[in-house]
Amino acid sequence: GIDRAGESEGCALSLQAIEALKISGSLTNQEQNATGVYETDGSSVAAAMKSFVTQTGRNTYLLQNRAIVISLDQLKEQSLQATLDYFLRNYESRPGVYLAVSRESPAEVLGIKTSSYTIPAEYLATLLREGQRWGYSAGATLLDAERSFSGMFDAYLPIVRVEGKGDDAAIIMDGTAIFRQGNYVGELDSAETRGLLFVQNELERGTLTVKGEGGVPITAELEKSHTAVTVEREGNGAAFTIRIKAKAEITEEADGDALRRTGLPALEALFARQIEEEVRAAVEKTVQVYGSDIFGFGRRIMKKEPGLIRGSEEEWPARLKECAYRVSAEVEIRGIGADTGAE
């Protein structure tokens, strides 16, 4: 975990490490948490790492690292690239290690105990991985961040927070941090995060809830979705078309009769409209408000209409705000669960 070092310059580092004396037999048979959290600081991440070694006599093995958690305060003070520089340069770093932003101190996140995992870092990595699959968080790895520094698109990282105290504490997904040229500029909420995942074609499963006839909630589980993004020249600018096709199954209706009263065609239209709203919100906030190109729209223009950008590359991040973004969604309900008599 990487955090600000209080009032002094540099950074505070927290490391979750396996404690040999807490292990009884193999890790797979371990009943209790087998890790400890160490905190140290230094003028840089590299200096703090060396401080950990000298204080504990233990070495760090980045090849075994599962996640890097960075505090939001740290990212408000220093760019993402500068914060991750030590890991990007170190040949032992795994490109697939998960990244996350914490609202609290990273030490609090790493200190969460769970009875489901002997190593809490595995718990965090699972949350980040499954959160993306189910549309709760926008997962990102060290490799994703490194690619964003090329200038072809901007970075985004999932935000986590700690809820509860002591044994009841848990890690909660809490939106997405958005960056522009490596600097933190704002965040997306949970609905906008799902819109982001739709555009990126990274949503595998998920649940949607709409209000049917009479305002009764009806919930569907997305089974599959596919998004196609195309770009066409429009005058001196560009127009992007984002088309989403999704298949879903009804999993719950509040009064048992709302589905029949609403009807499947109307219900499919309601779910499609919700997807469209979430995607529009994600695009408008990132592009229009934050001036960030997390979707790589500029790269798409360069590939399809290079004449629009050539000679004015520096202007295009701002000119993306002037482009048109058209969103359409189509939802097919393939099953309704229990027999409700809906037609």
Side-chain angles (χ1 to χ4, degrees):
I2 307 172
D3 200 359
R4 294 180 60 194
E7 298 298 325
S8 61
E9 295 185 0
C11 72
L13 209 63
S14 49
L15 298 96
Q16 185 184 105
I18 294 176
E19 300 285 14
L21 295 180
K22 292 183 178 181
I23 299 174
S24 56
S26 68
L27 284 174
T28 55
N29 296 324
Q30 185 74 21
E31 295 184 2
Q32 301 297 324
N33 183 277
T35 63
V37 176
Y38 295 84
E39 297 183 55
T40 184
D41 56 52
S43 57
S44 64
V45 173
M49 281 286 195
K50 293 300 181 185
S51 178
F52 166 77
V53 174
T54 57
Q55 290 177 16
T56 65
R58 303 177 61 176
N59 209 341
T60 56
Y61 299 96
L62 294 182
L63 284 171
Q64 299 176 0
N65 192 21
R66 293 292 182 269
I68 300 172
V69 182
I70 310 169
S71 76
L72 191 55
D73 288 340
Q74 168 72 14
L75 291 171
K76 288 179 179 179
E77 295 292 327
Q78 189 178 50
S79 72
L80 181 62
Q81 184 170 3
T83 300
L84 293 175
D85 187 73
Y86 171 81
F87 300 97
L88 294 171
R89 292 176 184 273
N90 196 306
Y91 69 91
E92 289 187 348
S93 290
R94 293 191 310 110
V97 66
Y98 288 100
L99 302 179
V101 178
S102 63
R103 296 199 184 278
E104 301 86 2
S105 163
E108 292 186 51
V109 176
L110 298 181
I112 295 293
K113 301 292 192 296
T114 170
S115 58
S116 302
Y117 292 85
T118 303
I119 304 174
E122 296 285 2
Y123 163 54
L124 175 59
T126 300
L127 284 179
L128 295 172
R129 181 179 64 252
E130 294 301 309
Q132 175 171 313
R133 290 187 62 226
W134 284 87
Y136 298 121
S137 70
T141 65
L142 187 62
L143 180 59
D144 294 326
E146 185 174 14
R147 286 173 173 168
S148 75
F149 303 146
S150 69
M152 299 178 71
F153 55 88
D154 286 307
Y156 58 85
L157 301 182
I159 301 175
V160 299
R161 61 180 170 85
V162 176
E163 186 174 281
K165 300 290 184 181
D167 293 338
D168 295 325
I171 299 173
I172 305 297
M173 299 300 166
D174 200 27
T176 305
I178 303 299
F179 297 82
R180 183 177 66 238
Q181 297 179 344
N183 296 307
Y184 171 81
V185 290
E187 60 185 72
L188 303 181
D189 62 22
S190 58
E192 293 160 345
T193 293
R194 186 161 54 190
L196 181 162
L197 292 172
F198 271 119
V199 179
Q200 298 290 67
N201 225 359
E202 293 180 349
L203 187 67
E204 295 184 30
R205 305 294 291 270
T207 57
L208 294 172
T209 299
V210 298
K211 291 186 177 180
E213 188 71 24
V216 177
I218 301 176
T219 300
E221 180 178 315
L222 293 173
E223 297 176 340
K224 185 184 299 184
S225 69
H226 175 75
T227 302
V229 180
T230 58
V231 57
E232 299 292 338
R233 186 168 188 148
E234 197 167 90
N236 292 323
F240 293 90
T241 301
I242 304 169
R243 295 186 178 90
I244 304 105
K245 291 186 177 181
K247 297 180 180 180
E249 179 177 352
I250 302 300
T251 55
E252 184 178 358
E253 51 179 326
D255 70 356
D257 196 41
L259 183 57
R260 181 187 61 79
R261 296 196 308 270
T262 304
L264 287 184
L267 196 55
E268 288 174 336
L270 287 173
F271 283 119
R273 188 180 311 149
Q274 180 174 340
I275 292 174
E276 291 171 355
E277 290 173 354
E278 291 179 355
V279 170
R280 286 195 189 98
V283 173
E284 289 175 4
K285 183 173 280 189
T286 55
V287 177
Q288 306 291 344
V289 178
Y290 299 144
S292 174
D293 186 18
I294 61 173
F295 301 111
F297 288 136
R299 180 180 56 177
R300 294 176 187 272
I301 296 176
M302 177 62 78
K303 291 176 64 177
K304 183 69 184 296
E305 296 289 346
L308 279 174
I309 291 184
R310 191 173 294 119
S312 57
E313 287 83 357
E314 297 299 322
E315 301 174 8
W316 264 97
R319 289 181 61 183
L320 285 174
K321 295 182 178 182
E322 303 168 6
C323 294
Y325 300 91
R326 303 181 180 111
V327 181
S328 65
E330 179 183 325
V331 175
E332 176 190 353
I333 297 178
R334 304 184 63 185
I336 57 174
D339 184 9
T340 61
E343 298 180 356

